[in-house]
Amino acid sequence: MSVHAAARTHAANAPSQATLDWVRTLVAIDTTSHVPNLGLIETVRDALAREGVEATLIHDRREGWANLFATVPAHDGALDGGIVLSGHTDVVPVAGQQWDSDPFQPVVRDDRLYGRGTCDMKGFIGTALALLPQIRAARLSQPVHFALSYDEELGCVGAPHLIAELGRRGLRPAGCIVGEPTGMRPVIAHKGIHTYQCCVRGHAAHSSLTPNGLNAIEYAARLICHIRDLADQFRAQGPFDDLFDVPYTTAQTSLIEGGNAINTVPAECRFSFEFRNLPSVAPEAVFDRIESWARENVLPKMRAEHPDAAIEFRRMSSSPGLDAAEEAAITQLVRALTGDPQRRKVAYGTEAGLFAQAGIPTVVCGPGHIEQAHRANEYVSLEQLASGERFLQRLIQGLESGTGETA
């Protein structure tokens, strides 16, 4: 390969300086879950304003957290329809992880950009923002919307408020691209994620007098074993969808606490569990199997020992699955832009299901690979950022010519 050919190949596999600068800027702002994201949101708002784009901030009830929604109108001023470019701004914690560099000071090594959120998913957001001048300069046949959310990593907490705001404003985007890391390959379906906390209330007593107490931990253990049995049934009996990397509904208990002393019958035990359902499996039916088993099989035995016994469930988060229609215009558009016809479904969840539930056809496609997310030394390759940049440039060109119609 000649020197000039090698240079062209390297250029094709490298993102623009604008994209690198934007991703670095976003990563340098610590938006770890439970940390306010307003600094990042205001940085983006101000950048949009410099390009003549007004952003709406949808604030959480807590001070310091906000979603952002902004629209670059079509050439005729239209705000309705068009395509949403969606991403979450929060990242997972770095505590307990051994990093080779500061996770909030992004650095390029070996053609990879390292830092918390480079892959999940500030790489996509930064790429989209870097192309804002091109979007503004284009003669768009349809508007392009930016949608940035908070607390996705805590169960898609912020996005429902953003989507509700679209409804209040009467906006009906024709399609949405959620830029989670997929290796720039279209993902048309993912599982739903539903998390609950269960509190089992017993009765305390000195451990020498166990018949006078009611052991909350022991009865919680029975319910936890039932959740495992339910997971085993799904694994053995289905239903199955072999296009998923884990082709059945899963369930697990992930956190537990209870008791206060080795010589005391524990009066309370709390545990948290989740299940991830195939789109074809109703989440209400899964929870009902757990709740009814507790009510019919565990609670009567507890109250036979003590009348004040109780089992209480609290839903912590619920995010629907995604099952994009193959014939949907946004699905076909993303396939055309990537040149990838393969049908892919994944076990991890995204905000795509929420957009789809609101009637906005949605596909997941973004730079990076999920295997690099949430881990120490998280990175996105420069080639993936360049691929994401080319994808969005083709989207803009299609909307400018009218060939990227989504409605």
Side-chain angles (χ1 to χ4, degrees), residues 380-397:
V380 63
S381 72
L382 300 187
E383 185 279 330
Q384 278 289 299
L385 289 177
S387 180
E389 203 169 55
R390 290 193 297 272
F391 170 84
L392 290 176
Q393 287 170 339
R394 288 193 291 267
L395 172 64
I396 298 165
Q397 291 164 4

Side-chain angles (χ1 to χ4, degrees), residues 169-255:
R169 294 168 62 182
L171 292 177
R172 299 175 303 279
C176 176
I177 299 170
V178 174
E180 291 276 5
T182 67
M184 290 310 305
R185 299 175 297 182
V187 165
I188 61 170
H190 65 66
K191 293 181 178 180
I193 307 176
H194 310 273
T195 63
Y196 290 84
Q197 185 181 80
C198 177
C199 180
V200 178
R201 302 188 187 279
H203 185 72
H206 194 283
S207 61
S208 65
L209 302 171
T210 55
N212 295 344
L214 174 60
N215 193 307
I217 290 177
E218 293 174 354
Y219 278 103
R222 298 186 185 189
L223 185 50
I224 290 169
C225 288
H226 173 70
I227 293 171
R228 174 55 192 258
D229 289 342
L230 182 62
D232 289 344
Q233 289 178 28
F234 280 122
R235 183 171 186 169
Q237 302 171 17
F240 301 102
D241 185 334
D242 290 334
L243 288 179
F244 278 91
D245 41 6
V246 180
Y248 47 84
T249 295
T250 61
Q252 68 144 2
T253 300
S254 51
L255 296 170

